[in-house]
Amino acid sequence: GQQLNQSPQSMFIQEGEDVSMNCTSSSIFNTWLWYKQDPGEGPVLLIALYKAGELTSNGRLTAQFGITRKDSFLNISASIPSDVGIYFCAGQGTSGTYKYIFGTGTRLKVLA
Amino acid sequence: NAGVTQTPKFQVLKTGQSMTLQCAQDMNHNSMYWYRQDPGMGLRLIYYSASEGTTDKGEVPNGYNVSRLNKREFSLRLESAAPSQTSVYFCASSEVGELFFGEGSRLTVL
């Protein structure tokens, strides 16, 4: 099935470092969503993006909707131990579809 | 505000048994979804319901059926469970471009 390419698959970083991850697709999307999932829980929405070029922040998190509409980026500044988890991107296609397609996730581990 | 509620949270089945996963949302959303999550595979769409009275197949619908009982409720049924259906199942609802998830139902098929 169709999935987004999300990278990196996993990363270990030191507390206080900045983190970057991205998602790419061969298809154009109208909406990009970024989620965080903790063990044993459902994904929690972090940021939603609706326009090409849009840059949106939520605390230490910043996400961008790529100009080509085929990619999106998430940055976490000054990481802390509670940032540990799996981060997923999701894209919703062009008008007429209600489907959201998910990336395979980036597993983040923060070393104190 | 409960958001999206799924039951049961855990279930163990034997091969060939049937069961229904229940999902309800209290956000008055039109669209509802069922995803499954397997290690290293991300979330894959099983079925979705764009609005009350409609359902459509997602990426991996084989072996599943759904019912949109009303605007609030969307159930997922396994008629004859197989070990390949061992997974964590998530229900979600959406409105205005945002997708909200329940806490998941962990299903093991022996």
Side-chain angles (χ1 to χ4, degrees):
Chain A
Q2 181 185 8
Q3 283 198 317
L4 301 176
N5 296 313
Q6 188 171 347
S7 65
Q9 286 188 332
S10 64
M11 52 195 315
F12 288 82
I13 60 169
Q14 293 285 338
E15 183 177 358
E17 287 185 345
D18 296 343
V19 175
S20 293
M21 60 190 78
N22 68 81
C23 274
T24 60
S25 170
S26 57
S27 304
I28 291 173
F29 288 123
N30 279 346
T31 301
W32 284 96
L33 307 175
W34 283 93
Y35 289 85
K36 180 176 183 276
Q37 186 177 26
D38 292 324
E41 298 186 10
V44 174
L45 182 63
L46 299 173
I47 293 178
L49 302 160
Y50 302 109
K51 291 194 322 184
E54 180 180 357
L55 189 69
T56 298
S57 294
N58 178 6
R60 294 178 295 105
L61 278 61
T62 302
Q64 184 163 24
F65 194 138
I67 292 292
T68 65
R69 296 170 65 193
K70 293 183 178 181
D71 56 8
S72 180
F73 308 88
L74 177 70
N75 295 311
I76 304 173
S77 62
S79 58
I80 59 178
S82 62
D83 289 335
V84 166
I86 303 177
Y87 292 80
F88 290 100
C89 62
Q92 185 184 29
T94 52
S95 61
T97 178
Y98 293 85
K99 297 181 184 179
Y100 294 81
I101 306 300
F102 279 78
T104 51
T106 294
R107 185 180 297 272
L108 180 64
K109 299 187 180 181
V110 179
L111 306 173
Chain B
N1 189 343
V4 179
T5 303
Q6 295 180 229
T7 56
K9 290 192 168 32
F10 299 94
Q11 184 73 49
V12 178
L13 292 176
K14 294 182 180 178
T15 297
Q17 287 185 320
S18 62
M19 78 157 299
T20 300
L21 299 177
Q22 306 285 354
C23 175
Q25 53 94 6
D26 62 4
M27 295 176 282
N28 202 35
H29 288 169
N30 280 315
S31 302
M32 297 186 72
Y33 306 77
W34 278 105
Y35 285 87
R36 61 177 288 174
Q37 185 176 36
D38 302 295
M41 298 286 291
L43 289 140
R44 292 183 293 169
L45 182 62
I46 305 171
Y47 270 94
Y48 67 103
S49 170
S51 60
E52 185 178 357
T54 69
T55 60
D56 285 286
K57 295 179 181 180
E59 304 167 69
V60 289
N62 291 344
Y64 304 97
N65 286 302
V66 290
S67 295
R68 184 73 183 267
L69 304 170
N70 48 55
K71 191 172 185 179
R72 290 187 63 246
E73 299 172 288
F74 188 39
S75 63
L76 178 71
R77 182 162 178 83
L78 287 70
E79 292 290 351
S80 179
S84 61
Q85 294 178 305
T86 293
S87 188
V88 182
Y89 292 85
F90 287 99
C91 178
S93 68
S94 79
E95 196 75 40
V96 198
E98 297 186 350
L99 186 65
F100 296 94
F101 285 88
E103 294 187 347
S105 298
R106 185 174 297 274
L107 176 65
T108 300
V109 183
L110 303 175

